[in-house]
Amino acid sequence: MVDGLSPQGNKLAKALLSFAEGKRIDEGAESFLAIHIANEFGEDKLSLGDRVAWVFDNEERILDVANDPFGPNKDFWVNADSPWGFLRGCLEWAGYCEDPEDFMSTLPVAFDGSCSGLQHFSAMFKDEVGGREVNLLPNLERQDIYAAVKSAVEATLSASSDALAPRWLKSGLMARSLFKTPTMTYGYSSEVPGMTDQIRSAVVATGSDAFAKDELFAACNYLAKITFAEIEKTVVKASEAKTWLQQCVRGKQEAVQWTTPDGLPVVQKYLARKTKRLDITVGGDRVRSQYNVPTDAVDTRKMASAIAPNVIHSLDACHIRMVAVAAAGEQIHSLAMIHDSFGCHAADAGRFFNIIREEFVSLYSADVAGMLNSELSGGLVELPTMGNLDLNGIIDTDYSFS
């Protein structure tokens, strides 16, 4: 977590940030501001048009919040999915409504990727099945992979004879949000142990007593195993891609290097560590402690487990750089970006919406998988087969980045 005011900071920090340069909200641009406000409230599962309509339907409450945040409509923004971001949006909307012609907007309006790790794997291998689940196919209603995984897990639980299955189904905990983090991090090599921790943390945060403290880990581990299996059935190509990347580096006793499509060299090297024991006397008492120190040997297990997330993160960053360069070429210089979230002025959002897609297509128009395979394995590891995803169709998608 980054401290202080930064686009990489927490939600309060991001809500406090403004662009140095303000821009008027021209006709049509107010829709992008409205979409951003609806997203911050938690209505990002609606269609784009319905998000805009939601803001206008709730405009009176939004303006009341802006005028008196701790007044009668306090609960409206406090219970939003992102309270600080929504409050900031309310203030921006109020400013625009007060003076539509001359209001100078400084709020970064963000477009977020739809489970970006899986988007990268789907585009890299032109996987139309996984691509559909993460909104890379045009002319479709918004797909929700988190809800799809939730439904698949519920079906598996319903068919299970395990004693834990009905307890989960009756727990009141089986919300879409429970499966969001495990699904989102799958593309970055999260597996059953990590998903167990994620599910456990989510359950603890609810304060639920559906499972006793001494059985919570076992219950979460059980659900994590099912969740992991259902994700792998949903995005088969991503599973193959992670295995391929691990095979490229498994057993190597040296650093590995690859180059992103825009020319940035990336080096991965994890050193093994060994444990040393500290045995000292403090105030007459003997104190023993252990600590780890790096060695000169490469940690081959860590090299294999880290390669998929590191490659995907490097491609996330590559996409952001390509978008920034393309936007600058069109005199769009005010940007607030992190990971898979692309922020700009509402006034620039119409064109920026398309630039994000165009650069994603440009990124994967190159043979990214082949280049990675050549650099990481010398071409010695067999690539997963390519699918039939039409990359150019991504340009016409509404929900790939929204």
Side-chain angles (χ1 to χ4, degrees):
M1 180 62 68
V2 176
D3 292 329
L5 294 178
S6 163
Q8 291 80 39
N10 60 28
K11 291 184 178 181
L12 174 58
K14 286 188 281 190
L16 291 169
L17 289 174
S18 296
F19 287 130
E21 172 194 12
K23 286 192 175 183
R24 290 183 177 84
I25 298 178
D26 300 325
E27 184 177 353
E30 76 279 358
S31 293
F32 289 103
L33 176 57
I35 289 168
H36 176 82
I37 292 169
N39 289 348
E40 293 292 277
F41 186 81
E43 297 294 348
D44 53 318
K45 293 169 283 298
L46 298 176
S47 69
L48 296 180
D50 285 346
R51 294 180 216 181
V52 175
W54 182 88
V55 169
F56 282 101
D57 289 346
N58 289 276
E59 185 173 71
E60 184 176 345
R61 298 176 75 188
I62 287 170
L63 296 178
D64 283 346
V65 165
N67 184 58
D68 184 8
F70 295 100
N73 279 296
K74 174 187 173 183
D75 288 345
F76 183 48
W77 72 269
V78 167
N79 293 319
D81 187 58
S82 177
W84 296 116
F86 179 64
L87 176 59
R88 172 65 192 281
C90 292
L91 296 169
E92 199 80 3
W93 191 257
Y96 166 69
C97 290
E98 184 177 345
D99 187 5
E101 298 295 326
D102 293 317
F103 175 68
M104 301 296 284
S105 176
T106 59
L107 173 65
V109 169
F111 299 109
D112 293 349
S114 177
C115 201
S116 68
L118 298 180
Q119 285 182 318
H120 282 284
F121 277 133
S122 296
M124 190 187 306
F125 290 98
K126 297 181 174 59
D127 174 27
E128 69 276 18
V129 177
R132 177 188 178 90
E133 296 293 339
V134 291
N135 294 296
L136 296 185
L137 273 65
N139 306 316
L140 289 178
E141 294 183 356
R142 181 184 179 277
Q143 303 299 301
D144 188 344
I145 190 170
Y146 310 125
V149 170
K150 170 182 176 290
S151 296
V153 171
E154 287 175 333
T156 298
L157 290 174
S158 295
S160 174
S161 59
D162 192 291
L164 284 170
R167 294 185 63 190
W168 271 112
L169 290 170
K170 297 175 183 178
S171 67
L173 295 165
M174 298 289 289
R176 171 185 178 271
S177 57
L178 184 66
F179 301 95
K180 182 174 181 178
T181 300
T183 306
M184 185 167 54
T185 56
Y186 174 82
Y188 299 92
S189 288
S190 180
E191 298 196 6
V192 171
M195 291 184 185
T196 300
D197 291 340
Q198 292 163 351
I199 292 171
R200 184 179 181 278
S201 295
V203 171
V204 170
T206 67
S208 171
D209 59 357
F211 299 98
K213 187 175 181 180
D214 61 353
E215 62 180 356
L216 182 59
F217 176 83
C220 293
N221 183 249
Y222 168 74
L223 190 65
K225 290 176 181 177
I226 295 174
T227 301
F228 183 82
E230 294 304 329
I231 295 171
E232 294 221 304
K233 293 176 188 176
T234 304
V235 286
V236 175
K237 194 61 65 177
S239 174
E240 295 175 5
K242 291 197 299 180
T243 300
W244 155 66
L245 284 169
Q246 290 168 358
Q247 289 173 343
C248 284
V249 302
R250 182 166 285 127
K252 287 194 174 183
Q253 299 290 334
E254 59 188 6
V256 295
Q257 179 171 324
W258 65 95
T259 307
T260 62
D262 67 339
L264 181 73
V266 184
V267 179
Q268 173 181 293
K269 184 178 183 181
Y270 292 98
L271 295 178
R273 304 179 74 84
K274 66 179 180 180
T275 301
K276 286 195 171 184
R277 176 174 292 176
L278 186 66
D279 194 345
I280 60 176
T281 301
V282 178
D285 295 324
R286 190 177 186 182
V287 177
R288 290 181 175 177
S289 181
Q290 292 182 336
Y291 62 100
N292 293 323
V293 295
T295 68
D296 294 330
V298 169
D299 186 340
T300 55
R301 290 187 61 185
K302 179 67 174 176
M303 291 288 285
S305 66
I307 188 64
N310 283 340
V311 164
I312 293 300
H313 279 306
S314 76
L315 294 171
D316 265 333
C318 178
H319 184 208
I320 279 184
R321 292 192 300 273
M322 292 171 67
V323 167
V325 171
E330 300 192 27
Q331 303 306 307
I332 300 174
H333 299 293
S334 297
L335 303 174
M337 307 207 282
I338 170 174
H339 182 44
D340 66 341
S341 182
F342 302 78
C344 67
H345 277 292
D348 296 326
R351 177 66 190 122
F352 196 62
F353 184 88
N354 289 322
I355 289 174
I356 297 167
R357 289 152 175 77
E358 291 164 4
E359 294 306 313
F360 192 77
V361 170
S362 177
L363 169 57
Y364 286 106
S365 293
D367 182 11
V368 176
M371 291 187 293
L372 287 169
N373 201 39
S374 177
E375 289 194 87
L376 293 174
S377 76
L380 299 177
V381 177
E382 183 178 358
L383 280 166
T385 56
M386 292 288 170
N388 297 302
L389 175 67
D390 178 10
L391 291 176
N392 289 320
I394 295 171
I395 293 173
D396 297 321
T397 58
D398 284 337
Y399 302 106
S400 53
F401 299 88
S402 64

